[in-house]
Amino acid sequence: MIETSAETGKLDAALAKAQGEIEAASKDAKNPAFKSRYADLTAVWTACRPALAKHGISLTQWPVHGDDGRLHIITRIAHGGEWLKAHFSIPVTKQDPQGYGSAITYAKRYTLAA
């Protein structure tokens, strides 16, 4: 689900400028299960943080508890009093702190990259 402020013109313009400067995140992490490489959360943040900051765009992410076996995360992008907020959820396969920590990292990475 996506929600926005009543107006998003300033945010849209700032995002367009930032997106013109953001380059692909480095795929420097290894996934031995699939014998592949991927951009981890740090790499995704490193790729987008300078352009977001330069254009005055803030991005926050909050994990939210749910009783449905899924981790819910809210990502909010804001600029000049305008904002966009998206809700995303991901299954938590291991119901322990490591399982939730892993789900939080995956959800933050996927929503930030989006």
Side-chain angles (χ1 to χ4, degrees), residues 9-96:
K10 290 184 273 185
L11 174 59
D12 295 340
L15 276 172
K17 289 176 185 174
Q19 287 173 341
E21 297 174 14
I22 296 172
E23 296 185 14
S26 298
K27 293 184 177 182
D28 51 7
K30 294 179 184 176
N31 183 335
F34 293 103
K35 297 180 180 144
S36 62
R37 301 178 72 76
Y38 69 97
D40 65 10
L41 180 58
T42 300
V44 177
W45 264 116
T46 299
C48 66
R49 182 179 282 124
L52 293 175
K54 177 180 175 182
H55 296 288
I57 301 166
S58 66
L59 189 141
T60 53
Q61 297 179 300
W62 306 284
V64 179
H65 176 71
D67 292 326
D68 58 358
R70 300 177 69 84
L71 171 86
H72 298 263
I73 193 154
I74 298 170
T75 299
R76 183 176 182 267
I77 300 171
H79 173 78
E82 298 176 351
W83 54 270
L84 177 136
K85 181 169 61 170
H87 300 247
F88 176 72
S89 68
I90 189 168
V92 179
T93 54
K94 275 181 69 180
Q95 299 293 312
D96 63 13

